[in-house]
Every structure is written in structure tokens, then in C-alpha cells.
Amino acid sequence: YKDIEPYYTRIEREVGVCGNRDGLEDLPDGEFLPPVPMKCSDLIVKRGAQKLGVKVIHVRKSTLSRARGARPACHFCGNCMAGCDVVAKYNSADVHIAPAMKTGKLEVRHNAIAYEVPVSTENRVTGVKYIDRETKAQQEVYGKAVVVSCACVQSVALLQMSKSRLYPNGLANSSGALGKHFIPHFTGGVQCFLGELIGKPPVNDEGFLDHAYVPSFMHNRKRDYARSFGVQFNYQNRRAVGWARDIPGFGRSYKKAVQERYPAFLTFSPYGEMLPNPNTYIDLDPDKKDKWGLPMARRTVTWGDNDWKVFHDMTAWSRRILEASGAEILAVSDQPRTNHELGGCRMGSDPKTSVLNQWCQSHDVKNLFVVDGSVFPSASEKNPTHTIMALAARTADYLGEQLKKGEL
């Protein structure tokens, strides 16, 4: 952690992260803007969780609670996942890429479908081959170094497609580890109605989505499994009411039941950490091609015994917390579902069992780097974006130093 802590701080300063300094062992504090207030429903859950010795904290999120530069503070206008017109919510295009383009040192090639990272006979990558989405023409760009950052599965797929005489099983894959150790987060889920809010007047509290979070608490408790889980909750939007299909009744009484429960509906989603296993991996489908004639990436996921133990326990704890909060349970997931995709091109100190070194640099090809979720050797239960960005910043520093020294 000490290796990347300075880069967490750098990213927090660059993007703006709101949250509270809670002093938690398993969720270190950072340089935060003030947290946003919890909603009434959050406080109800917090009170219920406290009865069980479980903490509910203010959510930590890259959305501004105070204005910074040209970016205003969040004004709670609506569903953040639909985009943020004023850039209170961080996005890379506005906060990082647009300023970089103004320097004149960055060119963005839009509509480029990358299909190969070629390697020379001297064992150096030379650039990227791509298809122009609009003209359908095959193009190629050249560089002293290549950084692959296609969001986990597609990064692995691009390297697997980049076969050559030197690397017949995929670029930088002398270890045979490329595509293996795929460890996506898995989620459960409970839908419920908070009893205290049934029949209350509806309020517009969709802005900013989730305001609270249940951090890992099982990591230092006795249990029969490895790793832990956290819970993201109360991020549902109010425009979707698919849950109404599951409310019993008909006619006027049915409408009344739905109307009364509308302000009380809550989604409670625990996130667990998957352990690597040989039956969970990423490869190229030999039979399916995309519209560009490229093999499609294929995910194969098999849950291990430990994954099932985590899933069952995080589901049981979710029920306990909600029942202690006076909730009326509507539905409970009975199967884990994959979420954030991680692993498949993992870092490691041993070139025989990993693809990259500690700088996200290929063991095999010195001027090839990968920076996204695929590099994770383990996942934790926490949202991965902050760590992805911190690792990318650390890799960028190293890459810059190596270029200055003439090492690449």
C-alpha cells in the first residue's frame, strides 16, 4: 500500500473525491472534500446496522461536494450514471483528456478499432494496427512504447489477437498466464421497502445516487472463508419501478400498495472478492466474430467454494441488516453475478506466473505496458477505479523516467 499511497493522493487531488475520514483499517483515509449528507433512508439503515455492530459511513465518490476550478459542486440534479452536464462528477474526457489536448502534445484518434500490437524481430512493440470505423481502412500508428488500456477483457483480447512468430499464443504471453486469473467482483442483492417510509410522501432524492456505504467488516472477524465484502446501497433511480410487478394484488388495492411503497424502495448490493481459479478465464471465441471480422472475447466464470461461502454470508448479513432496519424484504438474489471485471493480465514478480512486473510493464517486451483492471493480482471488494488510476499514474512516472534515460 505504501508504494501507491502517494498516487492515491495525487488522483484525489486531480479528480476531487468527497468522503469522510473514518479511520478504518481496511479502507484508508485520503484527501477528501466534505461528504454529502446521508438521506433519511441511509440513516434508517445506519441505525439498524449499528444494532449488529456494523458501520455505515458516508460514501466516498469522485463527485465534487465543493466547487473546484471551473467545475461546480454537485447540485443533485438527477441520475449520475446518465452523465453529468456540469462535470461535478468526474469523467476522464473533461477532466484529463481535454486539458491534455490543449497542450498540443496529445492527438486522439477517434473511431479506431485496435486489432493488433505488432512486435519486431528485436522483441519490441512498434505501435498499434487499427481499423478506421468510418472508412473501414486498415491503419497503423507507431511509437517508442505502447500502453494498452482497453478495460480488462478487451486489453486481454487485444494481446491474445496479437500473435506473431515470437509470441504464437498472444503477445507477451511466454508465461501462458494471459487470460488466466480472471477475478471479477461478484454481487448479490436484496430489494426491500423500509418500513418507516412506507406511506410517506415521495421525495426527489435521486441526485448523487448513493450517499452511504457499508465498508468491509468481516476481514477481522472469525469466518470460514478468505477475503471479505462491502455493500453499496440506495443507488436505485426513482424512474424505474420494475419491482412493482412483484407486488401482490389487483386493482385499487394494488395501486395503493405500489404508491405507498414507492418512497420506501431500496436496493442493497453486497460486493464480494473472487479468488483466482483455473476454470475462470478470458479467451477468444473461435467461432464468433464481430462486425470487423475480429474474434470476440469470451468470459468463462466458475465459482469456487470460497466464492460461494462469501456470497452466502454477504447475502445473510444483508438480510440481517435490513431486517434490523425494519425492512420488508421483496427479493433476494440466489446466484452471484459478475460486476467490475479484473485480472487476466496480472502483475507479479515471477515472469513464469505473471504477465507484468510491478510497473505494469511486460516481463517479455520491455516497451509494452498495460494499465487497467486486468493487471490486478487480487481484487478486494472495493470499487477498482481509484486503484486503476493510481497504478496508471505510477506507471506513467516510470515510463517517463525510462524514456528520459533512453531505456526504451
Side-chain angles (χ1 to χ4, degrees):
Y1 178 75
K2 69 181 187 318
D3 291 338
I4 58 173
E5 183 179 14
Y7 293 96
Y8 280 127
T9 300
R10 179 194 296 185
I11 296 302
E12 287 159 357
R13 289 171 178 169
E14 289 181 11
V15 307
V17 176
C18 66
N20 192 55
R21 296 178 65 86
D22 299 293
L24 300 176
E25 173 191 45
D26 199 53
L27 192 64
D29 294 327
E31 294 200 10
F32 301 144
L33 298 171
V36 297
M38 292 188 188
K39 297 182 276 191
C40 290
S41 47
D42 298 326
L43 295 173
I44 292 171
V45 173
K46 181 178 181 180
R47 189 175 62 212
Q50 283 176 336
K51 298 175 184 176
L52 305 174
V54 176
K55 290 185 177 181
V56 174
I57 66 172
H58 291 275
V59 74
R60 301 174 180 183
K61 190 183 293 190
S62 56
T63 300
L64 301 185
S65 57
R66 286 183 180 172
R68 294 187 62 176
R71 297 170 59 199
C74 174
H75 54 277
F76 306 96
C77 68
N79 187 341
C80 305
M81 302 307 285
C84 180
D85 292 338
V86 300
V87 200
K89 181 180 185 292
Y90 168 80
N91 72 78
S92 58
D94 287 307
V95 179
H96 278 126
I97 296 176
M101 291 181 70
K102 290 179 180 178
T103 67
K105 298 179 181 179
L106 172 66
E107 178 187 351
V108 176
R109 296 280 180 98
H110 298 283
N111 297 302
I113 311 299
Y115 67 89
E116 183 183 351
V117 180
V119 64
S120 70
T121 54
E122 290 78 27
N123 195 33
R124 291 176 57 84
V125 288
T126 57
V128 179
K129 293 182 178 180
Y130 67 93
I131 300 168
D132 188 300
R133 189 195 302 270
E134 296 178 324
T135 68
K136 312 297 190 295
Q138 293 187 351
Q139 305 281 0
E140 188 168 358
V141 290
Y142 304 94
K144 293 180 181 179
V146 173
V147 180
V148 176
S149 183
C150 306
C152 189
V153 171
Q154 293 302 326
S155 285
V156 172
L158 178 59
L159 296 179
Q160 289 175 333
M161 285 191 287
S162 301
K163 297 179 180 180
S164 64
R165 180 182 61 81
L166 293 179
Y167 299 102
N169 297 316
L171 180 59
N173 191 26
S174 67
S175 64
L178 184 63
K180 297 180 180 178
H181 314 109
F182 181 44
I183 45 172
H185 282 156
F186 58 88
T187 63
V190 180
Q191 293 182 329
C192 70
F193 305 103
L194 294 176
E196 288 185 51
L197 298 180
I198 294 176
K200 300 294 184 182
V203 294
N204 182 6
D205 63 356
E206 183 177 302
F208 198 88
L209 293 184
D210 50 330
H211 293 217
Y213 177 68
V214 179
S216 168
F217 59 90
M218 288 301 295
H219 61 276
N220 58 6
R221 298 190 185 197
K222 186 176 181 180
R223 61 201 188 283
D224 64 348
Y225 55 82
R227 309 307 195 215
S228 187
F229 58 87
V231 186
Q232 300 179 39
F233 70 99
N234 217 0
Y235 55 82
Q236 69 283 340
N237 69 64
R238 295 296 182 185
R239 290 165 285 174
V241 287
W243 53 264
R245 300 188 187 97
D246 297 322
I247 300 298
F250 187 78
R252 181 179 298 176
S253 62
Y254 168 74
K255 293 178 181 178
K256 185 173 185 291
V258 171
Q259 186 177 32
E260 287 179 342
R261 283 162 178 76
Y262 178 80
F265 181 70
L266 182 137
T267 295
F268 203 81
S269 299
Y271 281 64
E273 177 179 359
M274 185 179 192
L275 296 184
N277 73 70
N279 298 314
T280 298
Y281 54 88
I282 302 162
D283 66 355
L284 301 176
D285 194 315
D287 302 316
K288 294 182 179 180
K289 309 283 186 184
D290 63 18
K291 64 184 293 185
W292 310 105
L294 305 176
M296 297 184 70
R298 180 171 59 180
R299 304 154 175 85
T300 300
V301 176
T302 303
W303 305 115
D305 291 341
N306 193 80
D307 306 327
W308 278 111
K309 288 180 179 179
V310 175
F311 174 77
H312 289 312
D313 199 38
M314 71 187 196
T315 300
W317 270 103
S318 296
R319 289 199 67 138
R320 289 188 202 117
I321 292 169
L322 292 172
E323 287 169 352
S325 305
E328 175 186 294
I329 305 297
L330 176 67
V332 181
S333 298
D334 60 0
Q335 296 283 330
R337 293 185 178 183
T338 59
N339 199 279
H340 307 119
E341 295 182 323
L342 304 165
C345 190
R346 72 174 178 177
M347 297 184 291
S349 58
D350 186 352
K352 294 180 180 179
T353 59
S354 57
V355 182
L356 311 170
N357 65 17
Q358 73 269 34
W359 304 107
C360 297
Q361 179 183 31
S362 164
H363 288 301
D364 294 340
V365 185
K366 198 172 184 180
N367 65 333
L368 173 66
F369 297 80
V370 182
V371 286
D372 56 27
S374 67
V375 311
F376 282 37
S378 60
S380 89
E381 77 294 337
K382 302 165 184 67
N383 278 1
T385 303
H386 197 359
T387 300
I388 292 171
M389 295 176 74
L391 289 173
R394 183 171 180 266
T395 297
D397 279 358
Y398 175 78
L399 176 54
E401 291 168 2
Q402 293 298 298
L403 287 169
K404 289 177 182 177
K405 293 177 182 178
E407 296 292 332
L408 297 178

